[in-house]
Amino acid sequence: MCSVYVDGVRVTKFEKSGSDLKSLLVEAGRKALATSKYPEPQAIFIGAMNPEEFTGSGNIATLTADALGLLGIPSIRVETASSSGAAVFSVAYTAVASGIFKNVLVIAGEKMTHLPIAKATRILAEVIEIQEREAGASMPALAAMITQAYMRRHKISHEGMEKVLSTIATKNHFNGSLNPLAQFQKRITLEDYKKSKFVAEPLRLYDCSPITDGAAALILTREKTDIRVVGIGQGTDTLGLRQRDSLTSFMATRIAAKQAYEMAGIGPKDINFAEVHDAFTSFEIINSEDLGFFEEGMGWEAVEDGVTHIDGQFPINPSGGLKSRGHPVGATGLAQVVESVWQMRGEVDPKRQVGKVDRALTHSIGGLGNNNFVIILEKNNDNIKPAQRKSFYTLPIQIPRSADRDDAGIDGKEGILETFTVLHVPPEGFPSPLILGFVQIDGKRRVLARAMFLGKYRLGERVKLERDGNSYFFRKVTFLEKVKYYLRQLVRSEKGFKKSPNSWLK
Ligand code: COA
């Protein structure tokens, strides 16, 4: 396998743009080629999540080759939902490393802001597993339920979590204010955060990445440059959250991280800074744990201690992240690499420069954490301190099980409300507000259901499931049902007593 290097890089301004997708891709591509010593690529690799539905146009690989004046050479599109920008980097890397191509142009982009929010939300939700989608789940809704589950698991109060999430939001908006290419260059205060509307409780407007237009591009080459690609990893997981063992970490990230660190021969401690997929503020915490930067359940403390701030010991998202730089879904994974290259070359505004960078890591999530990438770049410089080669990635990895989890016999059952959210910006076709919750049955199976009635619900309370067509609904159990439940438990424990009376004495 040949070594692969990054040459010219470029990102368009992320914003509500007047340009169409083709123009954004071409702008990024042309500018990257203009800054490269290799302006005649042998192939084009394009990442985009869903131009067909967002813009009504397909076949963008050919369209872009033509618009760039590069007809004749191979041009191919790559898609893995919201990690498409990282996926196209990975595929292009393989093509160059294999020796087939010497120099290739990699471009990724998305055009989203021309659509009404409910329609954009519905298109984004198409990557969600069908049962969860039919219940009304959107990306913010699932992220909100993951946040609740994280709070419950690590015993964090609502006030405590609000403080941590608002710190991430203000940090990333501050970083974005220093980035002229970010969608939001507006700093926000704790007050602004607290006043902002709930999107999916407990997540507010300032916890969510926005809808954005934009594109990124770079040249990958076998010719030696100052930046070498030293690690790439990719992991997959079940589409549905209901089919996963854990709601508080992403196994696909752990798999990708392990591969990338092993390929680079380094561990998390050898990385100087990271651009991670903060589509929702709580994801920044979970990602920083899955990537091995902080211990499980400690990522939120690192935020509070200022470790991840731009001038902290381990800066995260100096670009402003998805939160503030913006999230044109297909472009993001590649834009993270461009930011890393700029930081490593010392080409960002000194106010945003995280210091001397020998190694940077980027992390991109596809779908709701089910097709994730980790990329590690290293300064190709003989003077850099050699990697420690001690601190390999040590987090446990459980290979995801098959998605076929039986939901037979769930209808009419009682279960525990494991996590829930009140969704205020639902996908097209669903009412607002919409209460959605994961109900756990028999201590193992999980289903996403809609609350039958609006009202107050508690995490961990018993609810009853009812099926209507393909969707499940939940409601509080009645007083009579509660009595029946406790009587059943009593009878069970009586039987247990009769079977093995000694067990009570132990
Ligand atoms: N963060 C900060 N400000 C935002 C914002 C965000 N995420 N989204 C919109 N705004 C700003 C707008 O610029 C606007 O400001 P203005 O009044 O000064 O122009 C204001 O907030 C209201 O914007 P509006 O368009 O009414 O917001 P919305 O309710 O339509 O959309 C969200 C807000 C959060 C629902 C939407 O951005 C969203 O769905 N985000 C998630 C996208 C997603 O799931 N991506 C995939 C993840 S992998």
Side-chain angles (χ1 to χ4, degrees):
M1 223 169 61
C2 316
S3 288
V4 178
Y5 303 87
V6 185
D7 196 37
V9 298
R10 190 67 200 192
V11 169
T12 66
K13 176 153 170 41
F14 281 11
E15 59 185 344
K16 266 190 186 180
S17 169
S19 305
D20 61 13
L21 178 62
K22 181 185 77 178
S23 310
L24 292 169
L25 295 169
V26 167
E27 180 190 336
R30 282 217 174 108
K31 287 184 173 161
L33 286 169
T35 60
S36 172
K37 275 191 252 146
Y38 314 103
E40 287 173 9
Q42 291 148 356
I44 308 169
F45 291 83
I46 295 189
M49 173 170 145
N50 197 345
E52 289 81 1
E53 289 231 44
F54 282 127
T55 70
S57 281
N59 204 359
I60 58 156
T62 317
L63 193 70
T64 310
D66 191 2
L68 280 166
L70 291 172
L71 275 182
I73 64 171
S75 184
I76 189 165
R77 152 133 171 254
V78 178
E79 182 271 317
T80 56
S82 46
S83 58
S84 296
V88 71
F89 181 93
S90 170
V91 171
Y93 168 87
T94 311
V96 176
S98 71
I100 293 178
F101 300 114
K102 200 165 186 188
N103 307 308
V104 301
L105 172 61
V106 191
I107 319 179
E110 209 80 52
K111 168 80 191 163
M112 309 163 76
T113 64
H114 56 293
L115 297 175
I117 184 70
K119 186 156 189 197
T121 304
R122 203 252 309 138
I123 296 173
L124 287 168
E126 283 176 6
V127 303
I128 294 172
E129 189 259 348
I130 184 104
Q131 190 273 317
E132 294 174 12
R133 196 187 329 153
E134 286 181 350
S138 65
M139 298 300 256
L142 294 175
M145 287 186 273
I146 286 174
T147 310
Q148 294 268 28
Y150 185 93
M151 288 161 65
R152 193 167 181 225
R153 167 138 196 216
H154 299 298
K155 300 188 174 50
I156 308 171
S157 66
H158 267 274
E159 294 70 32
M161 198 64 180
E162 186 177 65
K163 196 165 160 231
V164 175
L165 297 184
S166 62
T167 306
I168 297 175
T170 49
K171 165 182 83 74
N172 288 353
H173 269 268
F174 174 81
N175 294 353
S177 76
L178 305 174
N179 181 356
L181 298 175
Q183 180 170 4
F184 299 121
Q185 287 159 40
K186 180 180 105 174
R187 295 179 193 183
I188 59 162
T189 62
L190 184 60
E191 276 309 293
D192 296 327
Y193 176 90
K194 281 190 174 170
K195 274 195 284 178
S196 71
K197 68 178 180 185
F198 276 119
V199 174
E201 296 178 33
L203 300 180
R204 294 174 180 275
L205 177 78
Y206 288 124
D207 290 305
C208 302
S209 56
I211 304 291
T212 313
D213 307 323
L218 52 81
I219 314 300
L220 284 182
T221 176
R222 286 210 313 268
E223 303 283 357
K224 224 176 194 184
T225 73
D226 55 341
I227 310 281
R228 193 159 73 93
V229 185
V230 290
I232 292 202
Q234 178 185 9
T236 52
D237 201 346
T238 61
L239 235 60
L241 286 186
R242 71 194 175 101
Q243 296 144 337
R244 297 198 199 157
D245 291 321
S246 170
L247 290 182
T248 54
S249 90
F250 295 122
M251 205 46 65
T253 296
R254 292 187 177 201
I255 295 167
K258 189 171 191 315
Q259 284 171 17
Y261 286 129
E262 282 181 3
M263 182 173 160
I266 60 170
K269 289 199 173 69
D270 300 309
I271 304 291
N272 300 120
F273 91 97
E275 284 279 310
V276 311
H277 194 103
D278 61 326
F280 304 97
T281 45
S282 51
F283 283 16
E284 189 170 299
I285 305 172
I286 291 173
N287 300 334
S288 68
E289 295 175 8
D290 284 335
L291 291 164
F293 300 139
F294 309 112
E295 273 174 46
E296 210 175 335
M298 303 298 276
W300 65 277
E301 282 195 356
V303 174
E304 279 207 330
D305 295 344
V307 175
T308 56
H309 286 233
I310 210 156
D311 51 2
Q313 289 147 271
F314 189 77
I316 292 188
N317 289 330
S319 66
L322 284 60
K323 170 75 273 287
S324 180
R325 180 187 49 206
H327 185 26
V329 277
T332 289
L334 200 63
Q336 293 174 321
V337 176
V338 174
E339 169 71 12
S340 303
V341 170
W342 277 335
Q343 288 279 354
M344 295 173 96
R345 287 181 177 157
E347 289 178 353
V348 297
D349 186 317
K351 286 194 213 116
R352 196 166 106 245
Q353 180 69 46
V354 297
K356 187 170 161 293
V357 182
D358 291 336
R359 284 177 212 92
L361 179 148
T362 71
H363 160 262
S364 185
I365 289 184
L368 212 290
N370 47 48
N371 205 334
N372 301 358
F373 288 81
V374 171
I375 297 168
I376 302 174
L377 305 174
E378 188 171 275
K379 219 35 184 307
N380 190 34
N381 175 347
D382 294 339
N383 298 326
I384 75 163
K385 234 173 62 199
Q388 299 299 303
R389 293 180 197 276
K390 277 184 203 151
S391 47
F392 284 101
Y393 185 79
T394 51
L395 283 177
I397 290 183
Q398 201 168 10
I399 296 300
R401 286 179 285 164
S402 150
D404 289 328
R405 304 280 169 91
D406 186 17
D407 66 350
I410 281 179
D411 189 14
K413 282 235 175 193
E414 285 177 22
I416 301 292
L417 189 56
E418 197 182 353
T419 179
F420 72 94
T421 185
V422 184
L423 176 60
H424 296 274
V425 187
E428 205 174 28
F430 287 89
S432 172
L434 182 66
I435 302 181
L436 292 172
F438 278 106
V439 180
Q440 202 181 70
I441 306 111
D442 313 330
K444 30 185 201 294
R445 289 186 295 172
R446 195 188 279 137
V447 70
L448 183 60
R450 255 167 90 169
M452 218 174 275
F453 309 107
L454 293 179
K456 280 214 175 310
Y457 294 88
R458 271 183 310 105
L459 289 181
E461 78 172 297
R462 289 195 72 75
V463 291
K464 186 151 180 137
L465 280 170
E466 283 177 28
R467 191 174 185 149
D468 183 8
N470 287 334
S471 298
Y472 286 96
F473 288 78
F474 70 84
R475 63 166 173 78
K476 284 173 182 289
V477 291
T478 61
F479 180 69
L480 200 63
E481 284 164 344
K482 268 187 198 160
V483 172
K484 272 192 194 160
Y485 173 75
Y486 286 115
L487 283 177
R488 271 203 310 274
Q489 295 295 95
L490 200 65
V491 170
R492 265 189 211 140
S493 63
E494 281 290 309
K495 277 186 188 157
F497 177 75
K498 275 175 201 147
K499 264 191 212 155
S500 63
N502 288 344
S503 63
W504 294 94
L505 301 172
K506 279 180 188 163

